[in-house]
Amino acid sequence: MSRFEGRSVIVTGGAKGIGAAICTAFAEEGARVMCADVDVVAGEALASAPTAAGEIHFLRADVSKAQECDDLVAATVAAFGGVDVLCNNVGIQPTDSYQRLHEVTDDAWDRILDVNLKSFFLVSRVCIPHMLSAGGGAIINTASVQGLQSAKGVPAYAASKGAILSLTRQMALDYAEDGIRVLAVNPGTIDTPLVDEALEAIGGDEQAIRVSMAAAHPMNRIGQPREIAKVVLFLASDDASFMTGESVCVDGGLMARGSWG
Ligand code: BMA
């Protein structure tokens, strides 16, 4: 199946975890993918891995910085001729920022909001004119179940994820008549470096914590990055042509259980 044959796709935070799975899944369906990340080693490794159908290019870009977003989109348009799909996926949850709000420094707050939220604005701002002139496109934002319900000790992260859901609705409204669909996914706990780092920071019996993380999800396991990527591709595809402004939980039932868990 090649739903994205020749399509141009940008994935931010694309080198590892959910982002890498999104890059790979699009390439498998024939897309030309621009993976943007600050992790050069992981990004170059992903770009040099063989892909069955499409291709993955890597560009080092800190998408919390406007100039680097401009350069990223210009490079993508130069290489692929436009941008059909933007996956605003980048997200950080720094382990030294597990604090209650009164302990959070200005720098930690700004860094998390700049990477997790402002980058979505900055990259979208430069992609949208290309989508408008092409007559449409799709923007898929990686939010989190933490945009819907709260975990302790991550105020800036939680604020960024809630804001992504609100921004998704807002953008969907503003571009609905232009053929640009804007959607979000809310992953539960997924087997990624972000979660590995969180486990390390928590300390203690890692295996026991992994078991309790899994048990929080009614399916009694955490998810795999590919299980998010598959839904992202569906949302970006013509199969989801009447969907916009919505967010989809991909969480093994975590939000169905909600706070009763
Ligand atoms: C994600 C991250 C993970 C967490 C998951 C479920 O956004 O915060 O560390 O396990 O939400 O709460």
Side-chain angles (χ1 to χ4, degrees):
M1 187 169 52
S2 289
R3 289 178 295 182
F4 297 95
E5 192 70 54
R7 293 303 183 95
S8 167
V9 178
I10 293 177
V11 182
T12 70
K16 291 184 301 228
I18 293 170
I22 294 172
C23 290
T24 301
F26 271 112
E28 283 171 359
E29 293 206 28
R32 309 178 79 189
V33 181
M34 184 64 81
C35 164
D37 207 295
V38 292
D39 189 330
V40 176
V41 173
E44 286 180 348
L46 183 71
S48 61
T51 50
E55 55 188 297
I56 302 175
H57 294 212
F58 171 70
L59 191 76
R60 191 207 174 276
D62 176 351
V63 287
S64 69
K65 307 222 161 48
Q67 184 62 53
E68 297 193 32
C69 296
D70 295 353
D71 295 346
L72 165 66
V73 176
T76 307
V77 171
F80 305 152
V83 185
D84 299 302
V85 178
L86 165 62
C87 296
N88 286 310
N89 167 76
V90 67
I92 56 170
Q93 184 179 258
T95 52
D96 58 3
S97 70
Y98 290 167
Q99 290 160 329
R100 292 188 294 164
L101 187 132
H102 72 279
E103 300 159 327
V104 176
T105 64
D106 291 18
D107 283 351
W109 179 271
D110 289 345
R111 183 76 191 134
I112 294 165
L113 270 292
D114 284 356
V115 173
N116 292 13
L117 179 63
K118 189 177 182 188
S119 76
F120 286 38
F121 155 61
L122 292 174
V123 185
S124 300
R125 183 171 63 177
V126 255
C127 282
I128 285 169
H130 295 285
M131 292 179 172
L132 289 173
S133 57
I139 300 176
I140 314 299
N141 296 326
T142 303
S144 168
V145 289
Q146 295 200 41
L148 300 172
Q149 294 200 354
S150 302
K152 277 188 159 185
V154 284
Y157 183 87
S160 73
K161 295 300 182 178
I164 289 167
L165 295 179
S166 179
L167 181 65
T168 299
R169 291 191 296 271
Q170 167 67 39
M171 291 168 65
L173 278 187
D174 283 341
Y175 298 104
E177 289 169 64
D178 301 299
I180 302 175
R181 298 180 303 105
V182 188
L183 291 147
V185 281
N186 298 319
T189 303
I190 307 299
D191 187 9
T192 66
L194 182 146
V195 167
D196 292 341
E197 285 160 20
L199 275 167
E200 254 171 56
I202 296 165
D205 183 346
E206 189 181 318
Q207 201 41 44
I209 301 169
R210 281 191 187 275
V211 168
S212 74
M213 270 184 170
H217 300 70
M219 288 187 180
N220 199 27
R221 66 175 179 88
I222 67 170
Q224 291 302 314
R226 197 169 171 77
E227 296 180 289
I228 305 300
K230 286 287 188 184
V231 176
V232 168
L233 263 70
F234 163 70
L235 295 174
S237 78
D238 290 342
D239 295 336
S241 54
F242 199 47
M243 288 183 77
T244 196
E246 183 58 88
S247 72
V248 179
C249 292
V250 190
D251 66 351
L254 186 64
M255 286 299 99
R257 171 178 280 166
S259 55
W260 296 106

